[in-house]
Amino acid sequence: MILGQERMKVGHEQESCTSVVSAIPVLPSKASVCNRIGNRKVLLVDTPGFDNTEVDDMKVLGEITNCLEDLYRHHHTMGGIIYLQDISLDRVSASTMMCIDLVNKACGILGLRHVVLGATKCNRLSAAEVENRMIQLKGVHWKGMMDMGAQAFPLAYDPLSDAQSLLDAVLERFEPGVLLDIQREFRRTKDIRNTSVGKRLIQYISRWKRAFQRIFQFDFF
């Protein structure tokens, strides 16, 4: 909506709807809906999530890293990261916990203050349920990120207002030259697998492989 139309597909089903990284500018005609845009040129980058039904996790991580590097080479400053999590699910799954862990690793301590956490699909719950689940997320699952300065918002009451809140929260803490840990490490190692987040992802993959092997008693990979 903030782009002038729904140009970033929103998932409502079990299958992932984003399989490639895409960068879309905020249209000048829509910039006024966000209080803090001013004269800035804002580019929104939509990425696949981890545990994606369409794309391998390591490929997702590589594409995100390459996108960050490409933006940096073209002198675009990363303003922040918006991480969305479906609050309507009854419990936080192991795959969601993995995603949160990988976001932590990718950002690093200094990068987490530029993270905005959005709890999506609040309209599927009662106000009391949303409040209780937000308390749990902030106090348990998102606590590490929030202790380092991340902000959190419940979403899906008004698409335009939600988008404004998220973007304003990012721009409020905008700092030129922000670099995430994954960017620093990738420049040093030149191999996504040798970054902290890459190593952690390999640990998860190895753990899943061992679990499948125990269940089915043969090598999948």
Side-chain angles (χ1 to χ4, degrees):
M1 295 296 294
I2 202 169
L3 299 171
Q5 55 183 307
E6 189 174 306
R7 294 168 65 189
M8 289 181 173
K9 191 174 180 182
V10 179
H12 302 288
E13 308 298 336
Q14 295 296 318
E15 298 298 313
S16 302
C17 63
T18 302
S19 58
V20 296
V21 174
S22 58
I24 303 174
V26 175
L27 300 178
S29 61
K30 294 294 178 180
S32 61
V33 302
C34 286
N35 302 325
R36 299 180 185 275
I37 287 184
N39 295 322
R40 295 187 180 104
K41 293 181 179 179
V42 176
L43 194 69
L44 298 182
V45 179
D46 189 23
T47 73
F50 296 109
D51 196 28
N52 193 287
T53 57
E54 300 294 331
V55 188
D56 174 80
D57 284 336
M58 191 60 75
K59 183 177 180 181
V60 168
L61 184 59
E63 287 190 3
I64 293 172
T65 305
N66 290 334
C67 178
L68 289 170
E69 286 300 290
D70 187 56
L71 291 173
Y72 183 84
R73 283 195 299 270
H74 288 84
H75 308 290
H76 294 295
T77 299
M78 191 207 68
I81 292 176
I82 297 173
Y83 176 79
L84 303 178
Q85 183 172 324
D86 185 350
I87 198 176
S88 70
L89 300 177
D90 289 335
R91 64 184 64 185
V92 177
S93 67
S95 61
T96 298
M97 291 304 300
M98 178 199 75
C99 293
I100 293 172
D101 185 27
L102 294 177
V103 170
N104 269 285
K105 282 290 184 183
C107 293
I109 293 175
L110 297 179
L112 286 172
R113 74 179 305 272
H114 300 285
V115 172
V116 178
L117 305 164
T120 65
K121 302 180 183 177
C122 294
N123 56 330
R124 298 185 179 182
L125 304 171
S126 68
E129 288 175 316
V130 170
E131 182 179 3
N132 289 336
R133 293 188 185 189
M134 286 298 294
I135 290 173
Q136 184 179 30
L137 286 172
K138 291 179 179 181
V140 181
H141 306 295
W142 292 350
K143 186 177 187 303
M145 288 189 281
M146 297 195 69
D147 285 348
M148 293 296 106
Q151 304 175 77
F153 298 90
L155 305 175
Y157 293 108
D158 180 321
L160 186 58
S161 176
D162 288 343
Q164 177 179 342
S165 297
L166 291 172
L167 195 49
D168 277 347
V170 168
L171 295 175
E172 180 183 12
R173 296 188 176 182
F174 174 80
E175 296 175 8
V178 171
L179 286 176
L180 304 179
D181 275 11
I182 189 174
Q183 293 173 281
R184 295 189 185 92
E185 294 175 5
F186 182 72
R187 289 175 191 177
R188 185 177 68 250
T189 66
K190 305 301 180 184
D191 187 341
I192 192 64
R193 294 168 298 181
N194 288 330
T195 63
S196 296
V197 65
K199 292 176 181 177
R200 181 60 60 87
L201 181 54
I202 290 172
Q203 290 176 356
Y204 281 113
I205 293 172
S206 297
R207 191 180 306 166
W208 295 331
K209 179 180 178 180
R210 290 194 299 270
F212 279 121
Q213 287 175 340
R214 284 196 298 269
I215 294 171
F216 296 102
Q217 297 298 306
F218 62 86
D219 195 347
F220 269 94
F221 303 93

